[in-house]
Amino acid sequence: MTKPTDNLSLEEKLAALQAQVESLQAENTSLQEREETLTKENTSLLKKEEVLTKENTSLLKKEEVLTKENAKMKAKIEQLLAQLKLSNSRQFGKSSEKSERGTFNEAEKHQKKTEPKHHKKGKKPLPEYFEREVVEHTLDSLDCPCCGEDMHQCGSIDSEQLKIIPAKISVIKHKQFKYACRNCEHTGTSSKIITVPKPKQPIPGSMASPEALAAVVTSKYCDALPLYRQAQIYARGELDISRNTLANWCIKAGFLIKPLVEAMQRHLVSEHSLCADETHVQVLSEEGKLAHSKSYMWVYRSNEVSKQPVVVYDYQSGRSRACVQGFLSGYQGYLQCDGYSVYDNIEGITPVGCWAHARRKYEDALKAETRIKGRANMAKSYIARLYALEKQAKSQKLTPEQRYQLRQEKAVPILDKFKAWLEDTNTKITKNSHIGGAINYTLNQWNKLIRYVDDGNLGIDNNVTERDIRPFTNGRKNWLFSKSVEGAEASANLYSIVMTCRANDINPYYYFLHLFKEIPNLKPDDDINQLMPWNVQLDTYIS
């Protein structure tokens, strides 16, 4: 039986209490150690949680970055596929610009299809101005196969064939007779001999006649026939002439007509409105430039409604605003061109946009995009309506004043609706897509694009200039580059004559022939303007 506590002595109670205190202290120490351990574990867990939280945040950010990069890569892949599709379409597909001179059918969706006209059967008669060589076919015997009596001629059946002979090469032999006075010889007063002068030649001391020079430059600059091919053609006609000789002829011919081209430039800057474009050209020997670097051929021409149109090519080593300012110095008026920024902010010049360039952006979008094409077709339909009005004005031969009224009444409402559609659609599309680029281009160029409705003398596009620069780009595919700056400048002058001839609907060969005969005989005070295309008569050469 346990001893009651009350019977314990004081020492025993103190010892018991001391034991309990020690036990509690030991337990407290153990709890403190446990608390410290738990605190450490908790701190460790908090640190781990913080690390995990940071890692989680980092992973989320990485995931977000990867998601954005993935979206960008998908967009880039789609863009590259669209560009590949567009490139293949341009290289292998059908062109939307089916016209012989590069214009497109602007109003194909708004014009009713008409039944094709039936062509008259039979051969088209050959022009009367061709020389005729009559070949008569007669019977060897006039005995009648029935009765044996003589037959008489009672008519003929006439038919014609073309006879084409390759370039005929001949030689002009100038024989300058000399004259002397026998009386003077006998009297001894004088023995002067007078020699009859021959006409001044385009290239003094050269064997190139005006006819030969006209043939060479027409073949190269009108027919895009390189000089080495011309040399091969002449070799087949047993004429041995080098390519270098032909090149020298072209350079000298180009500088011979330079005064006339300068007069054409002065005529240009006096007109109401002009068109401009530019393309690159490679010149091998140009001071301060590498052989493979690009130079530029600029082309300026009268507006398509001009009654005395001229086209002038201008060679420049660069593509800066200074090139335009230098050529058009003193010009005050409209300049219709593409969206290239160098044509902007030139004093006295009001730039006019080109709807053909805008339309081409939507054509590219249609070729490039694989899915949604409705927006591109909608934009094209608006532009087609504008072109339908221009076709109407042209077919009805409206005056500039009448064309201005037509545009104000019918084109302006179409333009207002088109712009509202563009601004609304622009908020719903991907900016770096082809359709986004097309809409952005149209909106950025809007003020210049709608400027044509303010003047009936202006055209809706710059296609007339693009047609004039295309022969140069076609020729460039054959001859690839110019050897020297002199050659490039001469080519610019000769192309100016060729394209001015086309603008005035005259034969460039006969015009060159006229120039090469007349320019050498001009006096310093003669008016060069008498040789402008609209001031010359070429009938004598043609006949």
Side-chain angles (χ1 to χ4, degrees):
M1 188 171 178
T2 304
K3 189 176 180 179
T5 308
D6 295 339
N7 296 327
L8 294 176
S9 64
L10 182 61
E11 290 79 4
E12 290 177 338
K13 289 181 180 180
L14 288 173
L17 288 172
Q18 184 66 34
Q20 289 180 0
V21 169
E22 291 177 356
S23 174
L24 289 172
Q25 286 178 344
E27 187 176 346
N28 183 47
T29 300
S30 176
L31 289 173
Q32 285 179 348
E33 290 176 353
R34 179 64 178 165
E35 182 181 5
E36 287 179 2
T37 302
L38 291 174
T39 301
K40 290 179 180 179
E41 289 179 355
N42 184 47
T43 302
S44 176
L45 289 173
L46 288 173
K47 289 181 179 180
K48 287 181 179 180
E49 181 183 7
E50 185 178 354
V51 171
L52 291 173
T53 302
K54 289 180 179 179
E55 289 180 353
N56 185 47
T57 303
S58 177
L59 289 173
L60 289 174
K61 288 181 179 179
K62 287 182 179 179
E63 182 184 8
E64 184 179 355
V65 170
L66 290 173
T67 301
K68 289 181 179 179
E69 288 181 353
N70 186 39
K72 287 182 180 179
M73 289 299 296
K74 285 183 177 179
K76 186 65 176 178
I77 291 172
E78 289 182 1
Q79 187 179 9
L80 291 173
L81 289 173
Q83 289 177 355
L84 177 62
K85 186 177 179 182
L86 178 59
S87 177
N88 289 337
S89 176
R90 286 174 175 171
Q91 187 172 3
F92 304 110
K94 293 182 179 180
S95 173
S96 62
E97 301 181 353
K98 299 178 182 178
S99 173
E100 180 181 357
R101 291 189 175 181
T103 55
F104 47 78
N105 185 4
E106 299 91 353
E108 69 273 21
K109 292 195 174 182
H110 292 269
Q111 182 182 8
K112 294 181 179 179
K113 293 183 178 180
T114 57
E115 293 295 327
K117 295 181 179 179
H118 296 285
H119 298 286
K120 294 182 179 179
K121 295 182 179 180
K123 296 177 182 177
K124 185 178 180 180
L126 298 173
E128 292 296 329
Y129 49 76
F130 286 139
E131 179 184 351
R132 256 64 177 182
E133 175 186 343
V134 179
V135 180
E136 296 182 348
H137 305 279
T138 60
L139 290 175
D140 295 332
S141 173
L142 296 179
D143 295 338
C144 177
C146 297
C147 63
E149 295 293 329
D150 289 345
M151 294 186 294
H152 67 279
Q153 193 178 90
C154 60
S156 65
I157 299 175
D158 296 340
S159 60
E160 293 185 332
Q161 289 179 309
L162 273 177
K163 181 179 180 180
I164 300 176
I165 301 174
K168 181 180 178 182
I169 301 173
S170 60
V171 177
I172 301 173
K173 185 175 183 178
H174 293 277
K175 200 167 187 178
Q176 298 172 259
F177 287 100
K178 300 178 180 180
Y179 295 87
C181 178
R182 292 193 183 279
N183 183 56
C184 292
E185 291 177 357
H186 289 306
T187 59
T189 56
S190 176
S191 60
K192 184 177 181 180
I193 297 176
I194 298 175
T195 303
V196 179
K198 68 178 182 180
K200 292 184 178 180
Q201 298 301 304
I203 305 178
S206 170
M207 64 178 178
S209 67
E211 290 82 0
L213 207 54
V216 171
V217 297
T218 301
S219 294
K220 179 176 180 181
Y221 297 101
C222 186
D223 303 327
L225 190 63
L227 296 180
Y228 78 91
R229 292 185 189 172
Q230 292 192 52
Q232 292 172 351
I233 292 172
Y234 296 139
R236 290 199 297 268
E238 300 183 355
L239 172 63
D240 184 14
I241 188 168
S242 70
R243 176 185 180 183
N244 287 338
T245 299
L246 297 178
N248 187 46
W249 288 4
C250 290
I251 290 176
K252 291 186 176 180
F255 283 96
L256 178 67
I257 61 173
K258 185 177 180 179
L260 179 61
V261 176
E262 291 174 346
M264 290 179 175
Q265 180 180 354
R266 292 191 294 270
H267 176 83
L268 267 181
V269 297
S270 67
E271 293 206 3
H272 165 273
S273 55
L274 304 179
C275 302
D277 203 355
E278 80 288 335
T279 188
H280 66 86
V281 62
Q282 186 178 355
V283 178
L284 297 185
S285 302
E286 185 168 9
E287 186 177 354
K289 296 188 71 174
L290 298 174
H292 62 271
S293 60
K294 288 183 179 180
S295 297
Y296 290 87
M297 192 71 78
W298 299 70
V299 60
Y300 304 87
R301 68 151 290 148
S302 309
N303 194 284
E304 60 180 333
V305 299
S306 174
K307 294 181 180 179
Q308 294 179 341
V310 296
V311 182
V312 179
Y313 280 74
D314 180 42
Y315 169 77
Q316 295 288 340
S317 61
R319 200 184 177 208
S320 67
R321 182 177 283 107
C323 300
V324 186
Q325 290 174 320
F327 186 89
L328 297 179
S329 177
Y331 174 66
Q332 302 283 326
Y334 293 104
L335 182 65
Q336 194 152 30
C337 48
D338 57 21
Y340 188 33
S341 60
V342 299
Y343 296 109
D344 300 335
N345 303 318
I346 301 178
E347 185 178 357
I349 294 179
T350 304
V352 182
C354 173
W355 276 104
H357 278 80
R359 184 183 188 278
R360 207 165 295 144
K361 302 288 184 182
Y362 297 102
E363 288 284 356
D364 290 346
L366 280 174
K367 295 173 184 177
E369 303 293 346
T370 55
R371 292 175 294 175
I372 302 174
K373 299 185 177 184
R375 293 188 177 108
N377 281 321
M378 177 62 73
K380 280 183 59 182
S381 70
Y382 277 112
I383 299 173
R385 294 173 201 170
L386 298 174
Y387 272 97
L389 294 175
E390 297 304 306
K391 187 172 184 179
Q392 176 186 339
K394 188 174 183 179
S395 64
Q396 295 178 358
K397 298 181 179 180
L398 299 184
T399 64
E401 292 76 16
Q402 292 171 330
R403 186 155 62 164
Y404 169 78
Q405 291 296 332
L406 177 66
R407 290 170 175 174
Q408 292 296 314
E409 293 174 6
K410 296 186 178 180
V412 171
I414 296 173
L415 289 167
D416 291 340
K417 292 179 181 178
F418 188 23
K419 186 180 183 184
W421 179 85
L422 287 169
E423 291 175 339
D424 178 64
T425 307
N426 194 40
T427 62
K428 305 174 182 177
I429 57 174
T430 305
K431 301 300 181 183
N432 60 355
S433 63
H434 278 80
I435 184 62
I439 291 176
N440 188 56
Y441 173 87
T442 308
L443 289 173
N444 288 340
Q445 297 288 317
W446 188 257
N447 289 334
K448 289 188 285 185
L449 286 171
I450 65 172
R451 197 161 280 153
Y452 82 100
V453 301
D454 296 332
D455 194 319
N457 290 288
L458 297 174
I460 191 172
D461 57 38
N462 196 34
N463 272 347
V464 64
T465 313
E466 291 190 357
R467 291 197 297 269
D468 285 337
I469 209 169
R470 189 168 290 116
F472 174 82
T473 58
N474 290 339
R476 186 181 58 201
K477 294 176 183 177
N478 293 332
W479 44 260
L480 300 179
F481 55 81
S482 291
K483 187 176 181 180
S484 64
V485 173
E486 291 78 10
E489 291 176 346
S491 294
N493 292 337
L494 293 165
Y495 270 117
S496 299
I497 298 299
V498 167
M499 301 317 300
T500 299
C501 284
R502 191 176 79 169
N504 289 273
D505 197 24
I506 63 176
N507 189 311
Y509 169 78
Y510 293 117
Y511 188 54
F512 273 126
L513 179 58
H514 180 74
L515 296 180
F516 295 150
K517 286 186 174 183
E518 296 298 327
I519 290 180
N521 295 299
L522 288 179
K523 298 177 182 178
D525 56 346
D526 286 341
D527 184 10
I528 193 71
N529 290 303
Q530 64 182 314
L531 295 178
M532 288 291 194
W534 48 86
N535 291 331
V536 299
Q537 295 292 329
L538 303 179
D539 297 341
T540 55
Y541 298 106
I542 299 174
S543 61

